[in-house]
Every structure is written in structure tokens, then in C-alpha cells.
Amino acid sequence: MAEDKSAPASGSILVVGGGISGLTCALEAAEVGYEVFLVEKNPYLGGRVAQLNQYFPKLCPPTCGLEINFRRIKDNPRIKVFTLAEVEKAEGTPGNYAVRIRIDPRYVNENCTCCGACATACQSEVPSEFNFGMNRIKGAFLPHDMSFPARYVLSPQIIGTEDAQRCKAACTYDAIDLEMQPKTIDLQVGAVVWATGWEPYDANKIDNLGFGRYPNIITNMMMERLASTNGPTQGKILRPSDGKAPASVAFVQCAGSRDENHLPYCSYICCMASLKQATYVRALYPEAKIYIFYIDIRSPGQKYEKFFKRIQADENVFFIKGKVAEVSEDPATQTITVVAENAVTGEKVRQAVDMVVLATGMQPSAAGAKLPADLRYTPEGFILNDFEKGGMFAAGCANKPADVVSSNQNATGMALKAIQTLVRR
């Protein structure tokens, strides 16, 4: 009876999601000696962080942190990366999971040198998913400047067309393989960490805030791309309607958050994101006026509170405590009028601005489609960790809304939990 008759634990860990949480978890486990399989549905690693212009606490570009992590992955033979890949099933018990992964074709192999000849030859354009459709890119493209793996991708939309043949003919390194097919691989792993991240809440669902009807109303993630030097406007924050510099910008907090009709919870980072983006506008346009409409400003921790106080002291930034009820557009000038009730004075506020930024919340990626594994969720789609059962764990924003620092800390903890499953502690 004293014998351990349980199945031997596999020495491998599967990390699903290549955003900042997945990268951290994979590296922490691999660098103490464990084999790690890292699966990412996009053709590149980096997740939402790769789309940011700057992040807290130092307001530095995400390239600095990502570049270090990519180098660590490249130098670590224990990490096997699969991009354009998704888990089809994960079955079993802690220490012994059978996982099936589907890998979609990139149509570009390891011979790629990122010379860009395929993109030059390609005539077709497709919407840029990385830039939230704000611009169009060639059907043969590098997802972004810091893409890892550093390889081009051919859009499935051009496969079977003359453009695909042009790309193949232009490549002198024999890197274009138009015959690539989807494939599946089976893995045996001891633990699975779901770092599947988050999606911006669909602002089209918030009828009263005008997104999709008025071009000068954008989301907070779209603002990050506008402010980024590798974004659709090369870092110039311009009105989408006419390409002009905005003289005034309104930030609408809790756009769909803390609302039982949309997201009933606070997404933790939206207030700080808007405060950060106010600095983007002020740096580019020193005379611009910023109006922040909020329910409560949530700035958790000493560093964030200090940052809030600094923005609050700016004479060109105005805080209005009140939830925005409606917006309207002047057809002649395409300026937007934001209407809210000031919760302090009780007065109805009508503020005309050149642009509006909606602080849409975080929705877990698993909210739309549940993952193919035996997992428990909150009603909103966040994965609940069952530490007593063990074996499978959620990290970062798959588990709860979080900033980059908190996500990294949490991912390190989940790497340890995965390792404990392997060594049966």
C-alpha cells in the first residue's frame, strides 16, 4: 500500500499563449531545467504588450522587455515554440496530459531572411490586424518590427492567386512554400499553463458611445497603435476622419466596464492607460486640452497614485466625475460632443472635442470560446485555478484583469505550480 502506483509524471510543460505571461512562465520553467512547449495562435510572440506604445511603470517601449525575452528564448534549447498554433484538446490527469495541437501554414519557411522581396512583389493588400484595421498592409507581411520568429507571413487571402506566385518568384532564398498544409502534432506533458490573455471589449456593442458610427471615436488600444512609431501613422496621433492633429481629446472611462449590460467588473488598468495616453497627446501637442470623464479613478499602488497626481496637476487636463451618457457628431466639422452629468455639481456637461478615446475593458479570450480542456470559469470567462486538483493553471489575464507587472509575477507563480505538478509536491 505504500507503493506509488500513479502514472509517472511527464517532464514537460505546455504553455498556451505567447503574450507577456506566457513568455515569462515558459522562460522561468525552462531556465531551471524543464522542457517547455510554447503555443501561440498569432504568427508572432509578444501578445498585447507588443501592440503597446509604452507601458508602466517606466513608460518605456515594450521592445526593451520583449527583446530580452526573445533573446532568452532563442538561446534556450529547452523551449520549443509553435506559432499559428492552437490546442485542439488537452485530456488526462495532473502529470499525464495528452495534448493535440493544430498548426496553420505560414507559407514561409525557416529560410526567410526578412529581406522583404515578397512584400515588394505582392500587389494585394489586407487589413492590418495588428493595427486593428486602421490601415492596410501587403498580403505578404512581417507582423511588426520586433516580430519573433523573424519571418514573413503570407495571408491566406492571397494563396491560390497570382500574387502568391509573384511572392514565390521574388524570393531568392526558396523561403516561400505555397504547398504548406495545416498539420497536427500530439504531445505528452505533465502540466498545462493557460496564458491565453485578453481581448479588448467590442466597442461596437456600446450603442450610446458612437464607436463605428463616427470615425473620430476610437478605442484605447487603437490609441496605442496611433502613438506607436511602428503604427499606422508612424507615431502621429491624428484624427482618423481627416488626418488632422487634434486640439482636444476626451477619454471616456469604463466604456462598457462596471456595467451589467456589458462587463460587470473593473478591468483594473483602464484608468492608468488613459492617464498614460494623456501624456502621449500632451507630448505631441503641448496646447491640446484633455478631458477625462470617469466614475472613479483607480490608481492602485504608490507609483500609480503618484502618476495620477502628476497628471491631475497638469493645467491642460480636466477631470469630470460623471459617466458619459451619449455622444453626437457635428457633420460639418466632425467634432464630437460628449454629454455627461457631473456627479459632483449635478450639472449636465456638454463638451465638444476633436477626438474621443473609449477606455474599453479587458475581456478574457476564453469568454468567446471555452478552451478544449476540463477547466472551470467565472461567469465572465476568466479561468478559475483549482490548486487542490493541480495540473492545469491559468496565468495573467486569463485568470483576472492585470497590468504587465502583476501578470509577470503571477506567471512566475504558475511556472512554479506547473513544476510542482511534475515533481509531485
Side-chain angles (χ1 to χ4, degrees), residues 114-133:
C114 290
C115 70
C118 56
T120 302
C122 184
Q123 297 178 9
S124 300
E125 291 187 339
V126 297
S128 170
E129 291 185 15
F130 192 75
N131 290 330
F132 299 98

Side-chain angles (χ1 to χ4, degrees), residues 213-234:
R213 295 199 308 273
Y214 309 133
N216 293 326
I217 298 179
I218 63 173
T219 68
N220 46 6
M221 281 303 296
M222 291 169 73
M223 175 60 114
E224 289 291 330
R225 297 309 308 140
L226 286 178
S228 299
T229 54
N230 66 346
T233 55
Q234 291 74 54

